[in-house]
Amino acid sequence: MVIADEAFDHRSTDAESSSVAVLEWQAWEGFLLRHVIGDDAVRIETDPFQEFPSAQFDRVCDSCTAVCFQINLSLRSRLPLGIRELTNRFMARGVYVINGFVQDIRKSTLHTHLETIGLASPKATPSGCPDELLFIKTDLNYGGELEKSLPRESIAAAGLEHLISQDIGAYRYQTVVRKMLPESTWTDSAVVIEKYIANSEDSFYRVYFSGKQIIIVKAFAPRIIKKLSGDSRDTNFVTDLEHLKAGTDNSEISATLKRDVAIFVEHTPVEFGCIDIVHDGQDNHYIIDLNLTPYAGTRTHDPFLTKFLRLGITNAGRRKLCDFVGSPLLAE
């Protein structure tokens, strides 16, 4: 674990931003949180495979009013860092915690969570039309590339031994018709099989949320794997949880989509992150990915948008405080 002593001596004219500590691993330069919080955050390079020293814990509690876990792994429940225990300890000291409860964002867990909160899941089943096109992905985010790079002892410590696919990577997801899938693929714990969902305009939605602050991006991408590609038609819709729930948001996007986004943000134990949503062009939407550490690139972003998201972390009135008991994302 690395932490610069001078980090806690950092001064800023913005009292709110300087009181946020970020416990970070493999997710800083170019990542969205870096743009949102800025240089005034107390960044603590944190090894998730070691315990967090008590002395540093006390210093964070004495110096910061909020802590964000920025750990770039899909499954965090067995990490020696002990994120859940640390979260409880921080909260007991009056520190607001971002992304401390969520422990498991694998796609299979996301599928179960969506079903739990009443949203459509893209999960496919062995039964169905033999000629239906399906999508084979890794259960871990981004092809499990970071997990693959871990030392063997770290993989074992995190309980990842059977969750890393050696055949599929971040940009090597596969489409195949159901009748061509062997039984072994359906039972492989390292992969998930989803319905292949597409529309004629090749559009999808990326939703960024921070507390109650929400930005919905309608984006266009012709490739099978949907990623923001800077298409000139991409459009941002800036809103918040209250307006979506009340139906008073005037954005020119589907009311069904707005409802789905509101349900997800309100009932998901994640304070900061993003989701990707695909649709079939018939007003049916499917959340296919949840990311706690979204990447945003190194270019300068619109300060209005980053400040808007920042309020969900630094402004107590814009934070999301809900009861998430029962969500499989908690990995209890």
Side-chain angles (χ1 to χ4, degrees), residues 7-20:
F8 290 99
D9 294 327
H10 193 81
R11 294 291 183 265
S12 169
T13 57
D14 185 342
E16 288 184 325
S17 64
S18 63
S19 64
V20 179

Side-chain angles (χ1 to χ4, degrees), residues 69-88:
F69 286 97
Q70 179 81 346
I71 306 296
N72 198 0
L73 291 168
S74 298
L75 184 61
R76 315 193 301 178
S77 56
R78 285 180 51 181
L79 293 174
L81 178 63
I83 294 176
R84 174 68 61 78
E85 180 187 359
L86 271 177
T87 295
N88 292 334

Side-chain angles (χ1 to χ4, degrees), residues 88-231:
N88 292 334
R89 290 171 60 198
F90 278 128
M91 292 180 63
R93 293 281 294 270
V95 178
Y96 177 71
V97 181
I98 299 99
N99 291 353
F101 287 109
V102 58
Q103 301 294 312
D104 183 356
I105 59 168
R106 289 175 296 165
K107 295 179 185 67
S108 59
T109 309
L110 176 61
H111 294 165
T112 305
H113 175 69
L114 292 171
E115 294 166 358
T116 299
I117 63 177
L119 294 180
S121 164
K123 178 181 178 180
T125 61
S127 61
C129 175
D131 295 315
E132 181 182 1
L133 190 63
L134 303 177
F135 215 169
I136 306 175
K137 306 176 179 180
T138 57
D139 202 9
L140 299 172
N141 278 1
Y142 194 63
E145 297 295 339
L146 273 176
E147 287 85 353
K148 288 178 185 177
S149 68
L150 293 171
R152 184 172 300 177
E153 59 271 20
S154 295
I155 290 175
L160 300 170
E161 300 98 318
H162 304 295
L163 302 179
I164 298 174
S165 173
Q166 301 303 323
D167 301 318
I168 304 176
Y171 295 104
R172 300 198 305 274
Y173 291 170
Q174 304 167 6
T175 55
V176 62
V177 294
R178 180 180 275 106
K179 65 184 178 184
M180 298 300 294
L181 275 176
E183 176 64 26
S184 59
T185 303
W186 289 102
T187 58
D188 187 345
S189 59
V191 305
V192 294
I193 304 172
E194 296 182 346
K195 305 169 187 175
Y196 181 69
I197 300 154
N199 58 81
S200 59
E201 65 177 11
D202 289 325
S203 65
F204 74 105
Y205 296 91
R206 166 74 56 84
V207 180
Y208 298 100
F209 58 97
S210 177
K212 300 175 183 177
Q213 311 291 90
I214 298 171
I215 300 174
I216 302 174
V217 183
K218 182 174 183 180
F220 296 83
R223 296 183 178 180
I224 292 177
I225 299 176
K226 300 302 182 187
K227 300 290 182 182
L228 294 180
S229 56
D231 191 288

Side-chain angles (χ1 to χ4, degrees), residues 273-292:
C274 77
I275 52 176
D276 284 343
I277 304 175
V278 296
H279 68 100
D280 61 3
Q282 303 297 319
D283 210 23
N284 298 304
H285 304 89
Y286 302 85
I287 297 172
I288 59 170
D289 189 61
L290 167 62
N291 193 343
L292 308 181

